[in-house]
């Protein structure tokens, strides 16, 4: 998976985007890093971003969609790192 995060800026705020969830238009507000992560996950899975968000919506339970998307991205990327092995961020080497 290739995850290209936007440059870190302290003034980045969540951005709202229109998406289609299960055929219905809605909007989702996420930080740029989470939009990038969800795009990378959708690309890896060879599905559209709308399809991925629809899947997240179907599994979110009582959690809000934006929160569910953040948690999904964090868990997915955590599982991805675990499949690769531990990454030591201090030196970039695998343990």
């Amino acid at each position: 998976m290739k995850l290209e995060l936007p440059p870190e800026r302290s003034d980045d705020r969540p951005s709202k985007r229109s998406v289609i969830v299960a055929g219905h238009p809605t909007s989702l507000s996420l930080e740029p890093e989470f939009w990038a992560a969800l795009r990378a996950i959708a690309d890896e899975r060879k599905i559209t971003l709308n399809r991925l968000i629809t899947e997240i919506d179907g599994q979110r339970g009582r959690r809000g969609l934006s929160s569910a998307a953040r948690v999904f991205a964090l868990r997915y990327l955590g599982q991805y790192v675990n499949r690769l092995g531990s990454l030591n961020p201090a030196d970039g080497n695998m343990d």
Side-chain angles (χ1 to χ4, degrees):
M1 175 187 328
K2 184 170 178 133
L3 175 59
E4 294 183 25
L5 295 175
E8 188 172 345
R9 295 180 9 204
S10 62
D11 63 342
D12 273 343
R13 299 174 114 172
S15 62
K16 189 175 279 193
R17 296 190 189 179
S18 296
V19 294
I20 304 294
V21 176
H24 302 285
T26 190
S27 61
L28 190 61
S29 184
L30 296 171
E31 295 76 10
E33 294 84 359
F34 282 106
W35 282 119
L38 291 173
R39 167 56 55 208
I41 294 166
D43 288 349
E44 181 190 53
R45 295 178 58 192
K46 296 179 178 26
I47 60 175
T48 66
L49 187 57
N50 284 335
R51 169 69 188 230
L52 179 63
I53 293 171
T54 296
E55 290 179 11
I56 293 167
D57 182 60
Q59 301 170 2
R60 70 183 170 113
R62 303 180 93 192
R63 193 182 307 247
L65 184 55
S66 292
S67 294
R70 288 183 189 97
V71 170
F72 175 87
L74 181 62
R75 288 179 188 233
Y76 190 96
L77 295 173
Q79 291 170 0
Y80 187 83
V81 169
N82 289 339
R83 287 193 306 264
L84 295 175
S86 297
L87 180 64
N88 182 346
D91 61 13
N93 292 324
M94 303 297 275
D95 289 341

